[in-house]
Amino acid sequence: MNRIKLTICILAVMACATASAETYEEYLRSQMTEYQNYLSKMDREFSDFLKQQWVEYKGQKPETLYDQPKPVKIPVAEPVKVPEPIKLIPKTEPKTEPVVNSQPTGKVEPKPAPVVKQKPVKTEKPQTPAKTPETPKIAAPVAPTAPVVVAPVVPNAKITPDTTEPKEPQPYVAPEPVPYTAPDSLDKNKAALSFYGVQYSIPYDMDITADVPKPVSSASIAKWWETVASADYKKTVSYLQSAAKKNSLGDWGYVLLLERFTAKLKGNAPEQKMLVWFLLNKSGFDAKLGYTKAGTTKVMVPCDSGLYGVSFYTFNGQKYYVINTFQQKDSSDSLYTYKGSYPDADKKIALKKMSPPKLNFSGFSRDLKFKYGDKDYGFKAIANKYDMAFYNSFPQADLNVYTSAGKPDWISQTIIPALKEDLKGRSLTDSVNFLLKFVQTAFAYETDNQQFGREKFFFAEETIYYPYSDCEDRSILFAYLVKTLLNRDVIMLNFPNHVATAVDMGDNTQGAFLSYKGKKYTVADPTYINATIGMVMPQFKNVNPEIEETGA
């Protein structure tokens, strides 16, 4: 009898436990259902919002940093024992242009023909995209017809980045590729993508490859959003975000990854940009979509830096820049777009204080030679071609984007040790002059327009790779070297159509200087050939420069 009672009690407890477990599982399911319903409601409301007639806005022409072309020929300084004492007065406020909103034309989008309701067609495999090289070609510069720099020390003969992969110099060990591998449990639909030498296998739901009903209009875009939002897009976003974080791609690298992934799925069809827009919003970025009368779609995003040479539109005082990572010819055409943003999508594309991307390694090497005093110096430098290709698609941004960026291991493990050895036993003034002479004469000068046909600022490591550089490129590299090797603060000096630097020399101030935030900074110009610390180009002796902090 006691055994029977005990058995009954155990069964009762087990039944209660089972009922409790079922209740808890049901609770979790109900909570998840509520959350999914919330998301579905948010997407439905956004879709309804998109269905409103979009307004046509005028485009705004790309901004430029320089009013006039930079000089083709740079001056050579006469040697002096003590630089002339000159006090420069920095401009109290940087030059800023008033923000002007994009003006509506007063026209609303034309009403399209009724859209026939139909389910998106599911194809066995994605549409074959237009060919998009995984590493953009880096144009080789054209040699000038005559020397453009007169300097007592002739830099290396023209160095054209070769197309072969040279052996990496010892003892440097090239970093291994860091691919991100998707878990096996993900969907069988995967897009294989080689991204600057890193291999990805990106999972996706076929429904995100849906075509937008034609012609493109707010109604057809809203319908497309509903279709894609109902797909299992979360695994794609999760994978892409994890890959970007693992490989330190940053926000711009994330945009590049989205661009290449969507091009893999949709080629250059209107849906490619629409899918970038969708994924950016689902990743929390404030991305807007617009389309032109010709049916071309454009994605626009705000950034934490100004962009130059890039078309943009301004809404509520915020500039939205057109994403154009494939560097196709763009225009500032009027386009139709909507007011407002997707809920909770409020992030700007962050460009400042970027970490170096972790890409595959393809080596390039060059010999850097210069003369200081009566002695010749030189060492071998290397660069990663994949890094160069990554930065080749980077838009021109504010100067502190480049000065605040982290540096890759291959520069800190090659150039820095060599220069550190050469600086041993030197005074601060002698060390700064040594670094000035290195940057002034180890690299040949040529303007960006001569080398690329457009303005392009270099990250410090790009100056190591390309055969030519101009004033801001040299200033960015010099600032990095002074801060890294000498631990001195550096500010950037923006003169009309010229960039130089100034160094906090403490009690060693001499020659041209300026006061900024309680410190004295001495002018150091990495483009003024043979100039020592404290010397300023003659044409800028009475010019008040704008100050830009490096942000590092």
Side-chain angles (χ1 to χ4, degrees):
M1 177 64 71
N2 290 335
R3 288 183 179 178
I4 294 173
K5 288 181 179 180
L6 179 61
T7 302
I8 292 173
C9 289
I10 292 173
L11 292 173
V13 171
M14 291 177 63
C16 290
T18 302
S20 175
E22 289 176 349
T23 303
Y24 180 65
E25 290 175 358
E26 289 173 358
Y27 169 76
L28 286 180
R29 282 197 296 270
S30 67
Q31 291 297 306
M32 184 59 67
T33 300
E34 285 184 22
Y35 179 66
Q36 294 295 338
N37 288 340
Y38 164 73
L39 293 179
S40 298
K41 179 183 177 184
M42 190 163 62
D43 281 313
R44 284 197 304 270
E45 290 178 349
F46 187 63
S47 175
D48 290 339
F49 171 76
L50 293 175
K51 289 176 185 176
Q52 302 173 20
Q53 279 191 312
W54 293 11
V55 177
E56 185 181 41
Y57 288 88
K58 293 180 180 178
Q60 292 170 281
K61 292 183 179 180
E63 296 176 317
T64 58
L65 274 175
Y66 297 110
D67 299 328
Q68 299 175 359
K70 285 180 280 190
V72 173
K73 184 176 180 179
I74 54 177
V76 177
E78 295 293 334
V80 294
K81 289 185 177 180
V82 180
E84 178 187 356
I86 301 171
K87 183 175 182 179
L88 300 178
I89 308 298
K91 289 186 177 179
T92 54
E93 294 183 4
K95 177 184 176 182
T96 57
E97 298 292 337
V99 177
V100 179
N101 288 330
S102 294
Q103 296 300 309
T105 63
K107 299 177 182 178
V108 296
E109 61 178 338
K111 292 184 179 181
V115 177
V116 179
K117 292 185 178 181
Q118 56 182 5
K119 293 182 179 180
V121 178
K122 293 185 180 181
T123 56
E124 290 300 319
K125 59 182 181 178
Q127 172 185 343
T128 302
K131 289 186 179 180
T132 53
E134 54 112 342
T135 54
K137 292 182 179 179
I138 305 175
V142 180
T145 55
V148 295
V149 179
V150 179
V153 179
V154 180
N156 289 359
K158 177 185 173 183
I159 301 171
T160 301
D162 64 24
T163 56
T164 60
E165 296 185 7
K167 293 181 180 179
E168 300 145 29
Q170 298 299 323
Y172 179 77
V173 179
E176 292 294 325
V178 191
Y180 178 84
T181 305
D184 293 334
S185 59
L186 290 174
D187 194 280
K188 62 180 180 180
N189 292 319
K190 295 179 181 178
L193 183 67
S194 181
F195 185 77
Y196 302 105
V198 180
Q199 307 305 314
Y200 294 122
S201 182
I202 307 171
Y204 66 96
D205 187 326
M206 283 298 297
D207 282 349
I208 72 169
T209 67
D211 293 333
V212 63
K214 303 299 189 296
V216 175
S217 67
S218 60
S220 65
I221 291 171
K223 183 174 179 60
W224 177 88
W225 180 281
E226 291 174 359
T227 300
V228 177
S230 64
D232 185 9
Y233 62 84
K234 296 181 185 64
K235 61 189 175 190
T236 303
V237 172
S238 177
Y239 181 99
L240 292 168
Q241 288 180 326
S242 297
K245 182 177 180 180
K246 190 176 184 71
N247 293 115
S248 300
L249 299 182
D251 287 356
W252 182 253
Y254 187 63
V255 170
L256 287 177
L257 187 58
L258 293 186
E259 281 271 85
R260 278 147 183 76
F261 166 62
T262 55
K264 187 88 174 179
L265 298 184
K266 302 301 295 182
N268 58 2
E271 292 86 353
Q272 185 263 326
K273 292 297 185 185
M274 292 170 62
L275 196 50
V276 171
W277 165 61
F278 176 85
L279 293 172
L280 281 173
N281 275 289
K282 289 298 183 179
S283 303
F285 290 99
D286 181 14
K288 293 178 73 69
L289 182 76
Y291 73 92
T292 66
K293 292 177 181 178
T296 302
T297 51
K298 295 185 180 185
V299 182
M300 302 161 283
V301 291
C303 301
D304 67 350
S305 164
L307 299 186
Y308 306 91
V310 179
S311 300
F312 67 98
Y313 301 80
T314 306
F315 306 101
N316 296 325
Q318 177 64 63
K319 294 177 181 177
Y320 286 75
Y321 296 96
V322 175
I323 292 176
N324 185 23
T325 66
F326 294 119
Q327 299 180 354
Q328 298 170 335
K329 187 176 181 180
D330 189 30
S331 62
S332 303
D333 295 338
S334 296
L335 54 67
Y336 297 104
T337 190
Y338 56 92
K339 294 182 179 180
S341 302
Y342 184 72
D344 300 327
D346 54 7
K347 292 191 297 183
K348 296 180 180 180
I349 299 296
L351 302 177
K352 297 177 182 178
K353 297 187 177 181
M354 293 169 45
S355 297
K358 296 177 182 177
L359 308 173
N360 204 343
F361 187 87
S362 175
F364 166 82
S365 64
R366 68 184 291 188
D367 293 319
L368 295 174
K369 299 177 182 179
F370 66 107
K371 190 170 185 177
Y372 184 71
D374 296 326
K375 185 176 179 181
D376 293 323
Y377 294 85
F379 53 87
K380 187 177 290 293
I382 68 168
N384 182 9
K385 293 179 183 178
Y386 283 115
D387 286 3
M388 299 304 102
F390 180 89
Y391 290 129
N392 193 47
S393 64
F394 197 87
Q396 186 187 359
D398 290 330
L399 204 56
N400 60 10
V401 168
Y402 305 86
T403 56
S404 67
K407 305 299 181 289
D409 290 340
W410 54 261
I411 190 173
S412 61
Q413 293 180 11
T414 54
I415 296 175
I416 296 302
L419 288 171
K420 184 178 290 186
E421 185 67 25
D422 291 332
L423 292 176
K424 283 183 177 179
R426 298 182 185 274
S427 67
L428 175 60
T429 299
D430 192 31
S431 295
V432 173
N433 284 333
F434 184 89
L435 294 177
L436 270 174
K437 195 62 174 289
F438 164 61
V439 179
Q440 289 166 355
T441 60
F443 305 95
Y445 177 87
E446 197 172 85
T447 67
D448 293 328
N449 280 329
Q450 287 176 298
Q451 186 170 192
F452 301 106
R454 61 184 173 91
E455 191 64 45
K456 175 178 168 56
F457 285 6
F458 283 169
F459 289 90
E461 51 267 44
E462 289 182 283
T463 301
I464 305 301
Y465 177 78
Y466 287 99
Y468 304 106
S469 56
D470 60 13
C471 60
E472 74 278 342
D473 309 322
R474 294 157 178 252
S475 294
I476 291 167
L477 175 61
F478 177 75
Y480 162 66
L481 295 176
V482 169
K483 287 189 292 183
T484 303
L485 292 166
L486 305 178
N487 195 30
R488 308 303 298 185
D489 191 24
V490 183
I491 56 176
M492 312 301 282
L493 305 181
N494 282 323
F495 293 103
N497 306 312
H498 179 66
V499 175
T501 72
V503 181
D504 174 14
M505 297 293 289
D507 296 332
N508 297 285
T509 300
Q510 61 178 355
F513 74 96
L514 66 163
S515 297
Y516 181 70
K517 291 188 174 180
K519 291 183 179 181
K520 279 187 176 181
Y521 290 84
T522 307
V523 174
D525 195 332
T527 310
Y528 191 13
I529 301 297
N530 292 341
T532 55
I533 184 76
M535 296 181 70
V536 62
M537 287 186 182
Q539 65 268 38
F540 300 128
K541 285 184 177 181
N542 299 312
V543 177
N544 299 335
E546 294 178 7
I547 305 299
E548 189 159 353
E549 297 179 6
T550 59

